[in-house]
Amino acid sequence: MKLIPLALCSAARAAWRESFPLGGRNVARWFPGHMAKGLKKMQSSLKLVDCIIEVHDARISFAGRNPLFQETLGIKPHLLILNKMDLADLKEQQKIIQHLEGEGLKNVIFTNCVKDENIKQVIPKVTELVGSSYRYHRGENVEFCIMVIGVPNVGKSSLINSLRRQHLRKGKATRVGGEPGITRAVMSRIQVCERPLMFLLDTPGVLAPRIESVETGLKLALCGTVLDHLVGEETLADYLLYTLNRHQLFGYVQHYGLGEACDDVASVLKRVAVRLGKTQKVKVLTGTGDVNVIQPNYPAAARDFLRTFRSGLLGPVMLDRDILQSLPQADPCLALGPRDV
C-alpha cells in the first residue's frame, strides 16, 4: 500500500471545481452517423442468434450504454459483461449490480479480458440462458450462436480472443486496438468453444444516436469510445483532471512528480510537458525580428495524460461515481463477494 504524502492530504481538503463547464459543446458531432447501418445489420442477423452478450466499460457501468440495443435486440437472452474491471474502482460493486438488476439486467459479469479474469463464467452463463429460453426456428441444432455487441472500444474483440484462449487454447481471431472502430463490419462466425459448440459474431461498436448529456459524452470519450481529436485532447485532459481531483485521486501528482495537486489544466499540462521533455520551438515576431521561443507542447502532454489514465497507471477510477452516490445503499442481505458475480 502506497503512503500518500502530506501535501496530497492537504490537497484533498482543498476546494476543487464543483462542476465542469459543459456549455457550447456540440456532442452530436463527436459521434459518427454511419452507426445506424451497423445496428440494422445486427437486426438482420438476429434469426441466427441464440443469445446477446453486451460488453461495456466497467468504469461507466451506467452511462453511455446504447438503449437501442435493448429495444431492437431485446427479444433474445441478454448477458451484460462489464469489462476492464482492473481499471475500475469497484468498492461499491454490489450497489452497481443491484441498480442494474432494478433496470432489468439480471445477468451481469465483471471481467478483465487482458488477464482472462472471470472469463470462465461466461460460457456456463450463456449456456444456462439459452437453455432456459425458446430457441426460435433452431430445431435440434446443437450449436450456439452468440452476438457480441457494445459501444466502441469496450473490449468486444478482446472478449472473443479471451474465450478462445480459455476454451480452445488458440490465439487471436479478431484484431484488437486501443482506438474505436477497429471492427468495421459484422464478421463471420468465430468459434470460441468446443463443448458446447459455440460461435460468436463480433460486431462494430454502435453508439446511441443521441447521447443523453455532454457529461455522458465526456465519460465515453475518456474511455476511448470516440477519437480524441473529435472532442479535443486538452478538453478531455481537463475533464480528467476535474474528475480525479473531485474523487480525491491524486495518483497523477506522484506519477508525474508534480509536487502538489492542481485544478488548472494549463498549469498541469505545462509541468507534464516539461517533465517529459515535450516542448517545441515557436517563432515569435518582435520589433527586432523573429525570435525562437521554447514552449510546452500542450497537446502532446494532454495525450500522455490520457494514455496514462487509460492504462491504469493513475489507479482505478469509477467515472459514474456521481450516479452511484445518488443511489440508495446496497441491501446487505443481498450482498455477494467481489468474485461471486
Side-chain angles (χ1 to χ4, degrees):
M1 181 177 176
K2 288 185 177 180
L3 295 176
I4 299 177
L6 288 175
L8 299 189
C9 294
S10 61
R13 294 190 290 270
W16 305 111
R17 286 175 285 180
E18 291 297 322
S19 62
F20 189 80
L22 303 173
R25 303 184 194 277
N26 183 6
V27 185
R29 75 174 183 84
W30 298 350
F31 303 103
H34 69 269
M35 291 185 177
K37 192 184 295 182
L39 193 60
K40 285 180 181 176
K41 284 185 179 179
M42 292 180 210
Q43 287 174 287
S44 67
S45 303
L46 266 184
K47 60 181 179 293
L48 305 172
V49 171
D50 297 304
C51 181
I52 302 289
I53 294 179
E54 180 186 353
V55 185
H56 200 59
D57 194 310
R59 292 170 293 183
I60 43 173
S61 299
F62 310 128
R65 290 179 53 242
N66 192 335
L68 293 181
F69 288 151
Q70 200 65 20
E71 293 171 20
T72 59
L73 309 175
I75 59 173
K76 299 289 184 176
H78 180 277
L79 171 63
L80 176 62
I81 300 285
L82 290 173
N83 192 34
K84 305 186 182 183
M85 61 181 288
D86 55 310
L87 303 179
D89 180 354
L90 295 178
K91 287 195 289 287
E92 297 189 88
Q93 181 174 324
Q94 190 55 35
K95 199 174 180 181
I96 294 170
I97 293 168
Q98 288 188 17
H99 181 67
L100 291 171
E101 284 180 348
E103 294 186 333
L105 294 159
K106 300 192 181 297
N107 303 294
V108 181
I109 298 175
F110 288 83
T111 63
N112 171 7
C113 291
V114 175
K115 294 187 176 179
D116 298 338
E117 195 170 357
N118 290 352
I119 295 300
K120 286 186 176 178
Q121 298 179 25
V122 176
I123 298 293
K125 175 54 73 173
V126 168
T127 306
E128 175 193 328
L129 289 172
V130 175
S132 60
S133 68
Y134 177 67
R135 303 179 75 193
Y136 295 94
H137 312 300
R138 299 299 305 282
E140 296 302 316
N141 196 338
V142 295
E143 294 180 3
F144 294 101
C145 184
I146 314 302
M147 183 180 285
V148 182
I149 63 173
V151 300
N153 203 28
V154 289
K156 298 181 294 296
S157 297
S158 296
L159 173 66
I160 291 175
N161 292 333
S162 181
L163 287 168
R164 283 173 61 82
R165 284 195 300 271
Q166 287 288 306
H167 298 282
L168 297 178
R169 298 292 185 261
K170 291 188 178 179
K172 292 181 180 179
T174 61
R175 187 178 166 206
V176 176
E179 290 186 353
I182 291 295
T183 305
R184 295 286 183 184
V186 178
M187 298 175 61
S188 57
R189 301 189 313 164
I190 302 166
Q191 185 178 353
V192 294
C193 190
E194 192 73 48
R195 295 182 182 179
L197 186 56
M198 189 173 292
F199 296 86
L200 266 61
L201 291 175
D202 196 9
T203 63
V206 177
L207 287 154
R210 291 184 181 176
I211 302 301
E212 58 196 78
S213 69
V214 175
E215 187 144 24
T216 294
L218 287 166
K219 289 178 182 179
L220 284 164
L222 266 189
C223 292
T225 62
V226 292
L227 295 171
D228 289 346
H229 73 267
L230 294 175
V231 183
E233 287 101 339
E234 291 173 59
T235 296
L236 273 179
D238 193 17
Y239 183 71
L240 173 58
L241 181 66
Y242 158 77
T243 301
L244 293 175
N245 285 337
R246 284 213 67 190
H247 294 185
Q248 298 187 12
L249 300 172
F250 303 112
Y252 72 92
V253 178
Q254 294 166 295
H255 179 81
Y256 288 111
L258 301 184
E260 61 180 3
C262 177
D263 213 18
D264 176 62
V265 72
S267 176
V268 169
L269 293 182
K270 180 179 180 180
R271 284 186 278 172
V272 168
V274 172
R275 175 88 177 179
L276 299 177
K278 295 184 181 294
T279 55
Q280 55 192 353
K281 285 184 179 180
V282 179
K283 281 188 177 181
V284 178
L285 182 62
T286 69
T288 57
D290 291 347
V291 176
N292 286 327
V293 177
I294 295 177
Q295 290 187 347
N297 188 332
Y298 289 98
R303 285 192 291 272
D304 192 89
F305 191 28
L306 294 169
R307 191 163 49 243
T308 301
F309 161 71
R310 289 168 181 159
S311 64
L313 293 174
L314 302 183
V317 178
M318 173 52 65
L319 294 174
D320 275 345
R321 185 174 169 183
D322 53 333
I323 301 175
L324 264 178
Q325 289 177 334
S326 69
L327 300 176
Q329 288 298 316
D331 186 346
C333 298
L334 302 176
L336 298 174
R339 294 292 178 265
D340 292 339
V341 292

